[in-house]
Amino acid sequence: MSTAAVLHVAGARPNFPKAAPVIRALDRFGIRQRLIHTGQHYDERMSDVFFRQLGLREPDINLGVGSGSHASQTAAIMTHLEELLVADPPELTVIYGDVNSALAAALVATKLHIPVAHVEAGLRSFDRSMPEEVNRIVVDRVSDLLFATSPDAAVHLGNEGIAADRIYLVGNPMIDTLLDNLDRFDIAGIRAALALPDRYIVATLHRPANVDDPVDANDLVKAMHSVADQIPVILPLHPRGRSHLENAGLLSHRALRVVEPLGYIEFVSLVRGAAAVVTDSGGVQEETTMLGVPCLTLRPNTERPITITHGTNRLVSRAALAEVVASTLKAERPATWRTPPLWDGKAGERIAEVIAGELGL
Ligand code: UD1
Ligand code: UDP
C-alpha cells in the first residue's frame, strides 16, 4: 500500500491558502495525505510564513528546485517528482492554480496513470502571452477532476470538450482561508505596526508583463508615483520585480513605501483597511472582492471576470491609473456588496467530499 492516498503538490505563495482548507477537510475524512513542496518559492516570506500562519501541515518532502527559466524549473520539478511517484504512487494527486509547480505535477502524474485533481480549474484570460494561461490550458486538459471556483470557469471547461461529470463547481478555497481568518485581520494593529495613516493604498506588482521589461517597469513606476501624489502607498514588493522597479526609480517618491512581502495575516489586514488596492495579482482580485475593497487591476484582461461582475475589481491601464485612483477615492465605499456564488467558506469541504467519493469512501 502506498504511504498516502492523496498527494498534494504545492510550491508557490498563492498555492498555500488554496491547499490549507482542502487538506484540513480531507483530514476530517481520515484520508491519508502527503504534501510535497516543490521549492518554487523558498524565501521565508514567500513560503514558511504561510505554513505557520495557516496551520498548514509541514511538507513531507521539499524538492528544493528554486528559481530558473520556465523550462528548467518545470523540468526540475518533473524529474524529482517522477522519482517519488514511481517509488510511492498515491491514488490521486491534487494540484493548485496555474503555477509551474502545478503544470509539472500534472504532467508527471498523468503519465504515470495517477489521476489528477485540479483545484481552480477553468479560469481563462484568453491571453497566451501569460505563462499561467498556458499552464491552465495544459493542466485542465490532462486533469481528471476539475474543481471550478466560478460558473464562467465551468463553462470554459465544457466549451473545451471536458465531460460535465468531471467538472465540479465548488467555490473558492482561497476564500475559505480568508473567511476562516476574518477575526485575525486587525486593521488598527497593522496600521499601527506600519505607522500608516487611516487612508492609504496597498499595491502588489509581479506580473512579467508589468515588471520584466525595463520599459514597462519605467511606465509602471511613473504610474505608481502618480498614485502616491494623491495618497500614501504601501507596496509589499514581490522579489520578481524588485531590481527593474528600483532601477526605474520606484523608491524616489516619499509617499510610496516599499516593504518586504508580508505574511498572509498582515497582508490581508492591510488590504482590509485600505482605501483601495492596486495590483496585478490573481488572488488579490478575489480577496478584495470578498472584503469589498476597491481593486484596480493593472492588466488588460483577467481570468477572474467574476471579480468584476460580482465584485469590486476593475481593469485599468498604467496610463489611466492616476485618473481612476482619483475617482475611486472620491466615491463612497458601499456598505454592502455582492459576492460570487459559493464563495461561502465551504469549498474545501465540497472538494473533499468529491475526492472521498472518488476514492470509494
Ligand atoms: C509565480 C507564478 C505566478 C504567481 C506567482 C505568485 C509561474 C509561471 N508563475 O511567479 O503565476 O502569480 O508565482 O507569487 O509559476 N524569487 C525569490 N524568492 C522566492 C521566489 C522567487 O527571490 O522565494 C525570485 C527569483 O528571482 C525568481 C523570481 O522571483 O527568479 C520569479 O519566481 P518564479 O517562481 O519563477 O515566478 P513568480 O514571478 O514568483
Ligand atoms: N500575499 C501575502 N503577502 C503579500 C502579498 C500577497 O500574503 O505581501 C497573499 C495574498 O493575500 C494572496 C496570495 O498571497 O493570498 C496571492 O499571491 P500572489 O499575488 O503572489 O499570486 P497570484 O495570486 O497572482 O498568483
Side-chain angles (χ1 to χ4, degrees), residues 77-95:
I77 300 169
M78 289 180 71
T79 310
H80 286 90
L81 199 57
E82 186 181 54
E83 248 176 65
L84 292 171
L85 295 197
V86 166
D88 190 7
E91 289 173 50
L92 179 75
T93 301
V94 186
I95 56 171

Side-chain angles (χ1 to χ4, degrees), residues 11-15 39-47 66-70 73-74 97-102 130-132 135-136 206-208 211-212 238-241 280-283:
R13 175 165 74 180
N15 289 162
Q40 176 172 351
H41 286 175
Y42 43 86
D43 289 347
E44 207 275 336
R45 286 161 174 269
M46 298 294 288
S47 176
S67 305
S69 70
H70 283 275
Q73 186 177 59
T74 308
D98 53 18
V99 299
N100 285 345
S101 298
M130 291 182 77
E132 295 83 359
N135 292 350
R136 291 178 198 119
H206 71 274
R207 288 283 151 229
V211 304
D212 276 11
H238 187 290
R240 179 180 197 102
D280 55 14
S281 158

